[in-house]
Amino acid sequence: MTIDNYLRQPGCARFPFLFVITFGRSGSTLLQGILNSIPGYCIRGENNSTLFQLFNASCMHAEAHWDHGRKKTDTAHAWFGADLLDPKHFRRTLTDTFLQTCLRPGSDTRCTGFKEIRYTPNIIDDSQFSSYLQFLQTEFPGAALVFNVRRIDDVVRSAWWADQPPEAVRKLLIATVARFDAYAEAHPNCFIFDYDRLIDDSTYCAGLFDFLGEPFDPEALEAVLSKPHSYQPRPSGDDRNSVQQTPVPNPSPDLKSRPPERHRECLKAQSIQPDSDVSDVKVGRSGSEDAVRPKATSPRRFIQRLLRTGP
């Protein structure tokens, strides 16, 4: 199934795609359970930021084509074949493959997506954050972004962050939530979900259901809340930290990490603020490659064009 075929299915939800954007120990697995209680919703768990890496790959592929393939190449050219690269086709193939192999929606799925905790600035820096979110909404038309947050002091005290300097973690999470708030405020297809408000009063969820255009069923919600939602501890005797789903990156004292050398130039090229409004994104993907081809080799310009929806 391709994304276009999925969108042609009858009965798609108001938002046919939904991405939960958050950080570790925010209560996002419970939110995942709540969303999956809605008939026709299939919101998967974490995938180790696989889609973010596909975004990086699509940018590197486009850069290779636009920097070295605008003229015909031959066997004496260092970038032989760069003129045959097709950035739009490559990008669509990657995202269609992600739908088929990671999201795997069923024939009765009305909304699909996944939750991911790897959105802190030491993993996706500020120069990439908006660009990647725009990519999500361009390649998965009609998507909703749900930012899941939790009281920062409680998160800092959790076992997930236990091996990190508390003040550094606090600063990291404050910066994370601040950019969640800023992005959501500027985009009408975004919702900030507060875990603490849910715990205080389960009827808080009614606002989320209203945003999604779905009927709120208090009894179905209580059934979800009565079931533990979290990661599974590792078997006893395992010498790995039993409270972590996946290893937390080993940051330097200020929790900054550097990308691999082979990605560095591509990441520099993504230092932009996308200028398109996702509220205008139509359900469906169209447009020719010429519609996104830049007129110059500026990395800023080609990424801006890359992330725009076709006509």
Side-chain angles (χ1 to χ4, degrees):
M1 179 186 293
T2 66
I3 290 175
D4 284 336
N5 289 339
Y6 167 76
L7 291 170
R8 293 190 190 104
Q9 292 187 141
C12 276
R14 173 185 291 177
F15 300 104
F17 298 102
L18 187 152
F19 301 102
V20 175
I21 296 167
T22 188
F23 44 84
R25 300 308 294 150
S26 64
S28 60
T29 307
L30 177 58
L31 175 56
Q32 173 188 304
I34 292 171
L35 292 169
N36 282 316
S37 73
I38 302 173
Y41 275 54
C42 181
I43 308 303
R44 304 294 186 184
E46 298 161 38
N47 53 62
N48 207 21
S49 287
T50 297
L51 189 54
F52 177 63
Q53 302 307 327
L54 297 183
F55 163 68
N56 279 334
S58 71
C59 292
M60 296 169 72
H61 182 275
E63 182 177 346
H65 175 65
W66 286 328
D67 284 357
H68 305 283
R70 289 181 296 158
K71 295 182 179 180
K72 186 174 179 60
T73 62
D74 58 27
T75 56
H77 195 289
W79 292 80
F80 176 48
D83 55 312
L84 302 178
L85 300 179
D86 185 340
K88 182 177 180 180
H89 178 70
F90 182 77
R91 191 167 68 253
R92 287 190 172 184
T93 300
L94 291 180
T95 51
D96 283 340
T97 300
F98 184 83
L99 178 81
Q100 296 159 9
T101 62
C102 293
L103 299 183
R104 303 175 67 90
S107 59
D108 60 345
T109 298
R110 302 170 49 238
C111 174
T112 189
F114 68 97
K115 70 108 167 178
E116 184 57 75
I117 66 172
R118 294 160 182 83
Y119 282 96
T120 50
N122 62 317
I123 299 174
I124 301 180
D125 64 31
D126 289 338
S127 69
Q128 300 172 281
F129 182 70
S130 293
S131 302
Y132 177 53
L133 297 190
Q134 183 66 26
F135 169 86
L136 290 180
Q137 296 158 99
T138 301
E139 295 304 311
F140 298 87
L145 304 182
V146 177
F147 297 90
N148 188 66
V149 299
R150 184 181 181 182
R151 188 177 297 113
I152 289 177
D153 284 344
D154 291 342
V155 177
V156 172
R157 287 193 293 268
S158 70
W160 174 270
W161 298 98
D163 60 344
Q164 308 292 345
E167 283 308 310
V169 172
R170 182 174 287 103
K171 290 179 181 178
L172 179 75
L173 295 176
I174 288 173
T176 300
V177 173
R179 69 180 187 180
F180 286 2
D181 287 339
Y183 194 92
E185 184 177 355
H187 298 84
N189 62 324
C190 297
F191 189 91
I192 298 286
F193 186 84
D194 190 321
Y195 170 84
D196 299 296
R197 293 185 64 184
L198 167 67
I199 298 305
D200 291 341
D201 180 4
S202 62
T203 61
Y204 165 73
C205 264
L208 172 64
F209 280 65
D210 183 63
F211 166 75
L212 297 174
E214 303 292 347
F216 178 55
D217 184 343
E219 291 185 1
L221 175 62
E222 289 303 321
V224 174
L225 296 178
S226 67
K227 180 181 179 180
H229 285 75
S230 189
Y231 48 78
Q232 295 298 316
R234 298 186 187 278
S236 59
D238 193 324
D239 61 0
R240 291 170 292 183
N241 189 339
S242 64
V243 301
Q244 295 183 1
Q245 293 168 290
T246 57
V248 174
N250 290 323
S252 56
D254 62 354
L255 291 173
K256 298 289 185 180
S257 62
R258 294 184 177 180
E261 186 67 36
R262 65 183 181 277
H263 288 167
R264 192 159 293 141
E265 290 305 314
C266 180
L267 300 190
K268 288 180 181 178
Q270 298 174 59
S271 301
I272 63 158
Q273 294 296 324
D275 57 1
S276 57
D277 186 346
V278 297
S279 63
D280 294 328
V281 173
K282 295 180 174 58
V283 177
R285 298 189 297 183
S286 61
S288 65
E289 190 228 340
D290 289 331
V292 295
R293 185 190 298 275
K295 295 180 179 178
T297 59
S298 163
R300 180 182 298 271
R301 182 171 297 174
F302 92 71
I303 293 292
Q304 285 175 326
R305 302 259 179 161
L306 174 68
L307 295 177
R308 290 177 182 157
T309 309

